[in-house]
Amino acid sequence: MTARGLECMHELVTMFQETGRYPSRNAESTSERTLAVWVQRRREDARTGRLAPVLREGLAVLPGWEGKPRVEADEERWRQRLETLKAYRAGGNDWPRHKAVITGEEHELGIWLHSQRMKQRRGQLDAAKTAALDEAVPGWRNGRKRGRPAAANATLQS
């Protein structure tokens, strides 16, 4: 265990306490990028059982430091999109469209839903996510029916 290792640990704890996030390897700051690499190496050390006990104890104050923050953030974002889609549909809206002429929430949800459909068709969508979509928004795989919605057709015929 080196003095620099302890210094990095303190920098990481301070950064997390001040910002609520872990350092990024894509940050503008060289010091943040360096710290991100240091954290990645400590994660690897922890996975292989080579992490110094003093670092293990010091880093234990940080929630989920051993995990993969990007993966966890992606999963949380997926869950949020599912909840937003569920609320969108519950609000009486048709399936969101993803075409470029559509904007705002409908467009964002449409792109997300379209990508879920494509992943599912290619067999790349996790079974748990497929099941969550099936439960939360039945019919998600098919989406809109072609042509005008029934309500619009009834209005035109009047």
Side-chain angles (χ1 to χ4, degrees), residues 43-62:
R43 287 178 178 139
E44 182 60 29
D45 289 347
R47 278 192 287 280
T48 60
R50 296 178 297 156
L51 186 64
V54 68
L55 289 178
R56 184 180 335 282
E57 291 173 22
L59 294 171
V61 302
L62 300 174

Side-chain angles (χ1 to χ4, degrees), residues 3 7 13 16 25 30 39 42 51 88 94 123-124 131 134-135:
E7 186 180 320
V13 170
F16 187 84
R25 291 188 304 188
T30 302
V39 172
R42 298 307 70 84
L51 186 64
Y88 182 85
D94 200 348
Q124 297 172 338
D134 287 341
E135 182 180 331

Side-chain angles (χ1 to χ4, degrees), residues 3 7 11 37 40 46 49 64 70 82 85 89 96 128 130 132 140 148:
E7 186 180 320
E11 286 177 34
V37 170
Q40 185 58 42
R70 176 171 286 164
L82 177 60
L85 177 61
R89 292 285 292 152
T130 299
W140 70 275
R148 293 178 187 247

Side-chain angles (χ1 to χ4, degrees), residues 9-26:
M9 179 185 68
H10 290 294
E11 286 177 34
L12 176 63
V13 170
T14 300
M15 178 186 177
F16 187 84
Q17 289 172 339
E18 290 175 357
T19 66
R21 66 179 183 82
Y22 291 98
S24 170
R25 291 188 304 188
N26 299 323

Side-chain angles (χ1 to χ4, degrees), residues 5 9 11 23 32-33 37 39 41 54 65 71 75 81 85 114 122 126 134 137-138 157:
M9 179 185 68
E11 286 177 34
E32 183 175 343
R33 288 192 311 267
V37 170
V39 172
R41 288 182 181 147
V54 68
W65 82 269
V71 171
E75 289 301 311
R81 290 267 166 82
L85 177 61
H114 180 72
R122 290 188 307 258
D126 180 86
D134 287 341
V137 283
Q157 293 173 357

Side-chain angles (χ1 to χ4, degrees), residues 147-158:
R148 293 178 187 247
N153 285 334
T155 305
L156 289 175
Q157 293 173 357
S158 301

